[in-house]
Amino acid sequence: MKNKVFLGIVYLVFGVLLALGPYLIFPVCKASMMAMRCQSTAKAELVLGILTIAVGVLMLLIKNRKFRIGLNIAAIPIGILAFLFPNNITGVCSKVHMTCRSLTLPMLSLISIVLVVFAGINTVYLWKFESKGEIYDGICIDFK
């Protein structure tokens, strides 16, 4: 039970950082006359942050262990995409002195790597350690 609440809160924090970080906490370049790559990255991170928040809310509401394993597995590609958008897919500004290159890119990379590692570790934890007491005989699961 403690794990469920803790995980939900952690995913909510990751989601808020991904969604609002490029706009408020570690902002990308200001919108100007021309569209910049970092602004597209911020929009993509907003969507991925909302998806991470949804995972966190579902993690708080759902008690089924297998469904929670599925949510953790779903968080892994979200974190991978959160890493790939600023680094490869859309990118950020190419000049080193721009705030999106010096601040937003490292922070989004760090958050997304920690999200992937956290989701992977929690998947293994739920799969291995919380399944104690379950005996699977090929037909059904008995709890002893």
Side-chain angles (χ1 to χ4, degrees), residues 9-27 41-42 45-50 52-53 82 104 107-112 114-115:
I9 291 172
V10 168
Y11 280 121
L12 288 174
V13 169
F14 280 138
V16 168
L17 286 175
L18 284 176
L20 299 179
Y23 293 104
L24 300 174
I25 303 169
F26 33 89
T41 297
E45 295 293 333
L46 176 66
V47 172
L48 293 171
I50 291 170
T52 308
I53 290 171
T104 308
M107 289 304 296
L108 287 177
S109 298
L110 178 69
I111 292 168
S112 58
V114 171
L115 175 62

Side-chain angles (χ1 to χ4, degrees), residues 11 15 24 29-30 38 50-51 53 57 66 79 90 132-133 138:
Y11 280 121
L24 300 174
C29 304
K30 300 290 182 197
C38 59
I50 291 170
L51 288 173
I53 290 171
V57 169
K66 290 183 181 179
T90 55
K132 290 183 179 175

